[in-house]
Amino acid sequence: MLIVQKFGGSSVANAQRIRNVAGIIAESFLYGNDVVVVLSAQGDTTDDLLEKAAELNRNPSKRELDMLLTTGEQQSVALMAMCLESMGLPVVSLTGWQVGIRTDAAYGSARIRRVDTERLRRELDARRIVLVTGFQGVNKYDDYTTLGRGGSDTTAVALAAALHADCCQIYTDVEGVYTTDPRKVPAARKLEEITYDEMLELASMGAQVLMNRSVEMAKRYGVELEVLSSLVRAPGTKVKEVVKHMEEMKITGIAKDEKVARITVMQLEDKPGTAFRVLNAVSKAGVNVDMIIQANGRDGANDMSFVVADQDVEQAQEALSAYKHVSVDKSIAKVSVVGAGMMSSVGLASLVFEALNDEHINIQMISTSEIKISCVIDAASADRAVAAIHRKFFEN
Amino acid sequence: MLIVQKFGGSSVANAQRIRNVAGIIAESFLYGNDVVVVLSAQGDTTDDLLEKAAELNRNPSKRELDMLLTTGEQQSVALMAMCLESMGLPVVSLTGWQVGIRTDAAYGSARIRRVDTERLRRELDARRIVLVTGFQGVNKYDDYTTLGRGGSDTTAVALAAALHADCCQIYTDVEGVYTTDPRKVPAARKLEEITYDEMLELASMGAQVLMNRSVEMAKRYGVELEVLSSLVRAPGTKVKEVVKHMEEMKITGIAKDEKVARITVMQLEDKPGTAFRVLNAVSKAGVNVDMIIQANGRDGANDMSFVVADQDVEQAQEALSAYKHVSVDKSIAKVSVVGAGMMSSVGLASLVFEALNDEHINIQMISTSEIKISCVIDAASADRAVAAIHRKFFEN
């Protein structure tokens, strides 16, 4: 088997953790697998570097920032290589450049264009464990680029796709993907399998186990992912195209996102194109909009509400400066129920509404897709809502 | 003018020092010069990284060590670039790989084979300040290599040679090259100019302003060096092929090396080849030998003494394990007087001996070359010897 394993920054934060991870890698290798490992920068390295940069320049160019930050992963792979060497294992560390991870030129949020496999194959053929810097590549000018948040996951999936790996294991500090946040709902269950689409919906809903970009790429190239813990040796959750859901598992997970705000634009003229112009203005400002509803006002004017991420509120307001009556409500949360099984089931939505009604939680907005039902509710009720829905679906 | 400037690790140790260096670079650039800057890793970075490595592996491979250490200079150039950006100056940072500094495969002590100038020229033509990581390159396998001690000086000289730079400025924490160590001899004078050969003799004698490799390379390619301070704005010392010595300056400098030991092999047979076998054994162990003297013993046997660096004593002893009568004396020092003017002068040696005699310092060994007189004396008298010789030549 050819396995790609990815370990995040906290998994390699110090010598003890590096040794722990080396143990996992060694085990996979000694079972006879070809092993490619992707590592992030150690724990606080990136923050430390950003602090040093801020001392010199509050607004450095993204090119030089990438030049600075890419050193973090290089240190991680070198240190891990030394640890594996001390165990007597054959190993080689490579940077994104050495592998040939070619990206576009968008410093700070580059996209992978191409992955050369020649060097990787050569090292694997020589029966070496290959350690690769996550999060980074080089553009056509031979300048260092970083892939942005969750970039190391993307690197792992890209390498798995390029090498046609049998599996891509993403090691994290959780044991897998759960029906909902286990820190909040003790009855939460670990899922054995989940589809790409379900994972995408859960990820975008704030269950940040995997970044969407890496799941999208895995889906596109058919890379089977496994999310598992670097601290607890137990099977994790597999992310793949088709999964065998147990009969009663109509839904897969429940997620909550509190970092959202509702923006309402009031007293809009009731004319064709009005809604388009509002949404167009916001979208041109680079703000993603979700859960749009429009309500008829009394005097021939309309109100329009939609949800944006907290971090985009200011930009959205700026984009809407031409409108006089704009209100923002940050005290909301979005609770979402996700499941590929939804498509073939009826009455699931009413079960969700029933759960919330039982708890006297008012639903402000609703949106549904083929595999997801989202409700906007008061932020203060979010945890209670998740627990109630979880009871309804998973704890009977 | 095209100027290459090199700043060491202490010159970029923190934000304040980086700003200071940025000021020097900016001034050179704003005078209309093309400026290429070579930087070392920040102050303690290399030691910190070595400490991290030691936690995981007491004896890591040199390849992975180079992979780890090369991140230090990359951070330096990125941070300096950000600082220059904040001053509104056009700048680009490049690693050894990006420049195309190709080395042999000797990790940890690689030698530069070739320097591409295409990228450098392109950036200079675009009127950018170009910052280059010192101390590092890549070998033919595209793996990172480091150049060993003083490597950043070598990088600077190599770039100056490849670009046919008008001058290569080596910024240090001293103001230039002195007739002797100014911390020990307050009357020491800063030299305006010195020849490559004189500099080589002084450097190898422990006056560690410049590493020999960089001076040798500068001599070979005719690169004019200037050694000057990054803290005090004053002309430094120029190192070149031919210099105008003032009439009375028969000698250029006086250096002292206390990190040496005398090894004596006694009771050697008085036969042809005996001396050769002793020296051959030591040299095969990779130990450099200096100042060889042979003395006739009474009973047809000979004694042979020579000087080695302190750090080579054990290896030399091992190489001589076949000889029964070997003694080591570490309490010696080598005091050397260097000057290209010596060649055309007579009586200089006797002035040296006179100075030592006046101080009742016993000379144990003597060696002379065209531009150098070295004396081995008791280590305890070394500072007094240097001061006495300095008085004789420079303070009358």
Side-chain angles (χ1 to χ4, degrees), chain A residues 102-105 107 138-143 145, chain B residues 119 122:
Chain A
R102 291 280 161 179
T103 73
D104 62 20
Y107 299 109
V138 285
N139 64 21
K140 66 178 170 182
Y141 310 109
D142 281 349
D143 286 345
T145 53
Chain B
R119 176 85 193 245
R122 204 177 341 127

Side-chain angles (χ1 to χ4, degrees), chain A residues 52 61 64 85 93 97 142, chain B residues 42 61 64 85 93 97:
Chain A
K52 277 193 178 188
S61 70
E64 297 299 338
E85 280 174 354
S93 70
W97 159 63
D142 281 349
Chain B
Q42 286 190 289
S61 69
E64 297 300 338
E85 280 174 355
S93 70
W97 158 62

Side-chain angles (χ1 to χ4, degrees), chain A residues 135-157:
Chain A
F135 181 67
Q136 63 182 253
V138 285
N139 64 21
K140 66 178 170 182
Y141 310 109
D142 281 349
D143 286 345
Y144 299 80
T145 53
T146 66
L147 308 180
R149 277 197 66 199
S152 291
D153 289 354
T154 309
T155 303
V157 174

Side-chain angles (χ1 to χ4, degrees), chain A residues 252-310:
Chain A
T252 309
I254 306 162
K256 162 191 85 161
D257 191 355
E258 285 174 324
K259 293 179 181 163
V260 289
R262 186 183 54 195
I263 296 185
T264 305
V265 188
M266 285 159 290
Q267 300 185 27
L268 291 166
E269 265 190 291
D270 190 11
K271 285 205 310 193
T274 306
F276 166 75
R277 273 193 293 277
V278 170
L279 295 174
N280 195 39
V282 176
S283 138
K284 269 193 176 164
V287 173
N288 277 323
V289 159
D290 193 12
M291 303 189 70
I292 306 146
I293 58 170
Q294 213 170 346
N296 284 327
R298 273 152 289 179
D299 44 4
N302 288 334
D303 290 356
M304 183 176 185
S305 292
F306 48 84
V307 173
V308 301
D310 270 350

